[in-house]
Amino acid sequence: MTSVAIVGATGAVGSTMLSILEERDFPMSSLRLMASHRSAGRTVETRTGQVTIEDVASADPSGIDIALFSAGGDRSRAYAPKFAAAGATVIDNSSAFRMDPEVPLVVANVNDDAIKAHKGIVANPNCTTMALMMPAGPLHRLAGLESVVATSYQSVSGSGHTGMTQLAKEIDHFGANRDGLVTGDWVDPGGDLYARPIGYNVLPQAGSFTDAGYTDEEWKLVNETRKILGRPDIKVEPTCVRVPVMVGHGVAASMWFDRPVDLEEALEVLGDAPGLQLWDDAKVPTPLDSAGIDDVLVGRVRETVGTPGGISLFAVGDNLRKGAALNAVELAELLLQ
Ligand code: A2P
C-alpha cells in the first residue's frame, strides 16, 4: 500500500487526480490533500472519509510515497525537491522540471520505460503535447517521426478554474447581445486572463510570447515532443490556439516519417494503440466527446496531399484527464510495478 499526497488538490487538475485515484482503486494506505493557505483547514469528502486540506508551505512531507503536484510551476520549484528529499517520488504536472535532463518526461503507453531513470521527480507532459503524443508515439515506432506541423485547439480548463469561470461569464455577456456579435457592435467583457475575449471567439495565442514570435505553449510542443520520442532533431512547426471550449484539447497534425507511410498501415497501428480510440469520418471526434473519458480520440486520418508520404489526423483528449491527472495517476501506477 502506498501513501499518496495531492498538492494543488482544490484545483481543476488536482480534484480530477483525486477522482481518478478513486475510480481506479489506486492502492492507497493514506491520502493527504494540500493547497494554499486559502484552502487550508477545509475538508474534502473522499471514499475513505473526510480529509482536511493542509497548507503545502507548512506541511511535513515525511512518510509520503508518491506526491502528485499540480499547483503551478512556482510551487513545484519551491516544494517538489523538498518532498523528493523526504523520500517521496514526485509526479509533477507543471512545466518546472520537464526539460531537466535529470527528470524523465513520460506519457503512459508511449515511453513508459523512461520512468525507470527517475531520481525523485517525474514530469507529466503538457496537455497539448500529450494529445499529440498518443497517435504520434505509435506512428514514430512504426516509421520514425521526422517532422510534424501541429495546430492546437485548446480549451479554457487548461487555465484552471479561472479559465472555465471566465468562459462561462463571457458566453453570458455576449449571449445577451447576439446581434452585436454579427455587426461588430460588441462590448469587451474585460478581464485580464487572456489577451482578447474568449467567449464566441478564437485566440491565436495560447500561453505567453517568448522567443522568435512563438508562445511558451508552442515551445513546449517542440521541446517536449523531441524529449518524449527521444529524437532531438524532429522538426516541429507549432501553432497553439485557445478556443471557447470548457474541456478537451484538440490537435490537427500532419506528420512525415523516415519513410512514406500509407493510410492502411497508419490505421492499423493507431487501431491497436492503447489509450486511443480511432474514429472514422462517420462520427468525427470533438472535445465534447472527449470530456470525462480516459482515451484520446483520433479521427480524420488521411494521407497528406501537398507533400505526399505523410499522415494527417485530428486528435482530441480531455486535458484534465489524459492531458494531466490521468497520465499522472498512470505514472504512479507504473512506479508501483
Ligand atoms: P487554492 O485553491 O488553495 O488556491 P487551478 O489551476 O484550477 O486554479 O488550481 C490551482 C491549484 O494550485 C489549487 O489547488 C490552488 O490552491 C493551488 N495553489 C495556487 N497557488 C498556490 C500557492 N501559493 N500555494 C499552494 N497552492 C497553491
Side-chain angles (χ1 to χ4, degrees), residues 87-104:
T89 303
V90 171
I91 298 172
D92 181 34
N93 189 49
S94 81
S95 59
F97 302 104
R98 287 184 193 146
M99 296 316 297
D100 184 330
E102 299 285 301
V103 174

Side-chain angles (χ1 to χ4, degrees), residues 185-210:
D185 187 23
W186 51 269
V187 177
D188 194 317
D192 54 9
L193 181 64
Y194 300 123
R196 309 287 297 130
I198 185 64
Y200 291 96
N201 207 6
V202 161
L203 271 73
Q205 177 196 350
S208 314
F209 287 109
T210 59

Side-chain angles (χ1 to χ4, degrees), residues 8-13 35-36 38-39 56 70-71 75 160-162:
T10 52
V13 172
S36 77
R38 295 178 291 275
S39 309
V56 64
S70 194
R75 264 66 63 192
H161 282 314
T162 326

Side-chain angles (χ1 to χ4, degrees), residues 46-112:
T46 74
R47 265 202 201 166
T48 45
Q50 276 195 345
V51 178
T52 303
I53 296 176
E54 302 171 59
D55 179 358
V56 64
S58 51
D60 174 2
S62 8
I64 297 170
D65 298 314
I66 295 181
L68 306 175
F69 267 66
S70 194
D74 289 345
R75 264 66 63 192
S76 294
R77 273 183 285 272
Y79 306 115
K82 179 176 152 193
F83 277 54
T89 303
V90 171
I91 298 172
D92 181 34
N93 189 49
S94 81
S95 59
F97 302 104
R98 287 184 193 146
M99 296 316 297
D100 184 330
E102 299 285 301
V103 174
L105 181 65
V106 189
V107 183
N109 289 316
V110 171
N111 64 331
D112 294 7

Side-chain angles (χ1 to χ4, degrees), residues 1 9 24 32-33 35 37 66 68 110 133 141 143 157-159 163 178 198 206 220 252 254 264 274 323 329 332:
M1 294 292 260
R24 294 170 76 94
R32 291 171 65 187
L33 301 179
H37 63 89
I66 295 181
L68 306 175
V110 171
M133 288 303 99
R141 273 195 298 281
S157 54
S159 315
R178 271 177 40 189
I198 185 64
K220 287 174 196 170
S254 295
E264 201 181 330
V329 174

